Amino acid sequence: MLVLTGTPADAQPASSAVASSANADSTALTQLAEGYLQQRADMLTTNRPTARAATARVRATGSMTAQVQDDLAALVEKGKRYKEVDGGYTKAQVDVEVTDTSVTGQSATLQLIERTRLHLPFTPQEVADGAPEYEEVSVPHTVKFTQGSDGAWLLSSDKADTKGGPTPTTQVSDVDAVDADDGGGKAEEDEGSKDAASGTAPLPDNSDDSGDKREVRGYSYGKMVAYADKYWDHHNSAWRTYGTDCTNFISQAMHAGGWGPKGGAIIQRPSNKYWFYGPTTWTTSYTWAAAENWYWFAKKHSKRTKILDNVWKMAKSDVLQADWGRDNNIDHTMIVTKKYRGTPYLTYHTSDTHNKSLKKLLSDHPRAWWYAHRT
């Protein structure tokens, strides 16, 4: 006997039901993570909510709620400092790109990239005249959640990947120690002493300074800036990305603007007299991706740059390097992508940042030695 059993039209196979549930969880978790990161960014603005109100909007475990409270309070203070030095931010816009989701029982983990725009206090006319409209940051995060007894997801931890560079604007802990791979090392030659660090005292008012330079030596400063503007966040896949990627990024920008390689033999790799990129790290010079080595090639051996006596003299496409601990080892490299009313705005990798004002950087790192290169 053959028995036909009717199947409801809306019934789903078990595998489809599981997939549907996982998709619903992923959507809900993404929304929770984005809302949490938006609350953090809002605390930096001049129109921020109270820290208490912002904390109440974040659904978190007890221990994580305490950390959120501390972080939001620290971000408030950071926002106040930024307002004092250059007007701060008027609003924040946060988007997240989830790159991986893992849900196991009552635990979930998101790998995501936070992309935040922090709007600056310039009018549309000022933006049209060359002012940056906003600063942008891109920060990878690992965000974890726990499911409560009522089934609701609660934020349980957030770890931002900030190794190897200055603290991203939306973060609060200072991470000045460089402990990630930058492709460099001790050079073969004894280089002696560096030039004196660039001064940081403000210059007399020079509001008409656009930051443009006359192009010389066949270099295109416009192409250097255009490269940095294009690839500050979405890294150019034609090049490797290093654990500490700031100087690799600047070398790419210089190359785009006309810097030609010097050398290329493996035996030349550890010498600061050469600058070249190869198909592997072992066939790439130290000077390509390491801040300290790059300084000596650019300034001393190739004379492609000279050190300015004051950071405020930098123009667009000039390079700023930082020695965070004043230990005579340069840690970080950036490029000027805008200059407005005398203030340079810096762009860099690790952590990926676009158009951060020099005023904010100086206030973040008051102890650093700075080396401003005229390219």
Side-chain angles (χ1 to χ4, degrees):
M1 179 182 294
L2 180 64
V3 178
L4 299 178
T5 304
T7 302
D10 60 351
Q12 299 180 32
S15 59
S16 297
V18 171
S20 178
S21 175
N23 289 337
D25 281 338
S26 179
T27 299
L29 293 168
T30 299
Q31 291 173 344
L32 288 172
E34 186 170 271
Y36 156 68
L37 293 172
Q38 181 69 59
Q39 293 300 319
R40 292 180 64 95
D42 284 344
M43 306 315 291
L44 292 163
T45 70
T46 54
N47 298 309
R48 58 183 165 268
T50 65
R52 186 178 210 175
T55 303
R57 295 190 187 109
V58 178
R59 294 162 60 184
T61 62
S63 59
M64 187 61 187
T65 296
Q67 181 180 325
V68 169
Q69 287 176 329
D70 290 344
D71 283 0
L72 295 185
L75 288 166
V76 168
E77 295 306 310
K78 192 175 190 178
K80 289 178 179 178
R81 170 163 54 84
Y82 282 171
K83 183 180 180 181
E84 289 177 2
V85 298
D86 73 348
Y89 307 110
T90 57
K91 67 177 181 178
Q93 295 174 290
V94 176
D95 291 304
V96 302
E97 176 191 347
V98 176
T99 56
D100 187 64
T101 304
S102 173
V103 180
T104 306
Q106 293 180 307
S107 299
T109 301
L110 294 187
Q111 302 290 340
L112 61 84
I113 300 173
E114 168 202 351
R115 292 191 173 94
T116 298
R117 286 182 171 178
L118 296 156
H119 287 253
L120 299 166
F122 294 117
T123 66
Q125 184 58 54
E126 288 172 320
V127 172
D129 290 340
E133 184 177 359
Y134 37 70
E135 174 193 322
E136 298 178 276
V137 295
S138 177
V139 186
H141 291 255
T142 300
V143 184
K144 296 185 178 182
F145 297 87
T146 298
Q147 205 164 29
S149 57
D150 61 354
W153 288 107
L154 302 174
L155 178 69
S156 59
S157 73
D158 168 35
K159 181 173 178 55
D161 182 0
T162 59
K163 287 193 303 182
T167 303
T169 300
T170 55
Q171 302 302 304
V172 295
S173 59
D174 290 329
V175 186
D176 290 344
V178 176
D179 55 6
D181 174 41
D182 64 1
K186 184 173 177 56
E188 290 180 335
E189 47 272 311
D190 181 3
E191 300 291 8
S193 300
K194 292 186 179 73
D195 282 11
S198 304
T200 58
L203 300 174
D205 182 31
N206 56 347
S207 59
D208 294 331
D209 181 6
S210 68
D212 291 320
K213 296 185 296 192
R214 183 173 60 87
E215 297 191 352
V216 297
R217 297 186 293 183
Y219 300 151
S220 173
Y221 302 125
K223 287 182 179 179
M224 294 175 183
V225 171
Y227 186 94
D229 285 336
K230 183 175 181 178
Y231 292 110
W232 74 270
D233 176 16
H234 295 88
H235 296 197
N236 188 345
S237 60
W239 307 89
R240 279 187 302 279
T241 294
Y242 288 78
T244 298
D245 200 56
C246 59
T247 307
N248 175 44
F249 174 58
I250 297 307
S251 284
Q252 292 171 32
M254 297 298 104
H255 182 269
W259 278 31
K262 185 174 182 181
I266 294 177
I267 196 173
Q268 296 168 333
R269 180 175 183 251
S271 172
N272 290 337
K273 296 175 181 177
Y274 303 97
W275 180 79
F276 56 90
Y277 181 88
T280 69
T281 57
W282 294 103
T283 55
T284 298
S285 67
Y286 287 174
T287 56
W288 182 272
E292 174 73 10
N293 302 98
W294 190 93
Y295 170 96
W296 291 109
F297 170 78
K299 180 263 170 188
K300 178 180 177 180
H301 295 296
S302 71
K303 296 181 170 55
R304 295 182 185 181
T305 71
K306 66 177 182 179
I307 302 300
L308 300 173
D309 62 4
N310 192 293
V311 294
W312 296 101
K313 292 182 179 179
M314 288 190 299
K316 286 188 288 187
S317 84
D318 285 343
V319 169
L320 181 62
Q321 294 193 292
D323 175 355
W324 304 130
R326 297 189 176 191
D327 61 359
N328 288 306
N329 186 72
I330 295 175
D331 303 298
H332 188 59
T333 313
M334 300 164 274
I335 185 173
V336 178
T337 41
K338 276 190 177 291
K339 189 171 187 181
Y340 186 69
R341 292 182 178 171
T343 298
Y345 291 82
L346 285 302
T347 294
Y348 49 93
H349 279 185
T350 317
S351 294
D352 297 353
T353 299
H354 188 219
N355 290 333
K356 182 161 186 172
S357 81
L358 177 62
K359 292 178 180 179
K360 291 189 179 78
L361 282 163
L362 293 178
S363 74
D364 283 341
H365 306 284
R367 292 188 59 255
W369 279 339
W370 305 92
Y371 296 91
H373 294 254
R374 171 57 45 82
T375 56

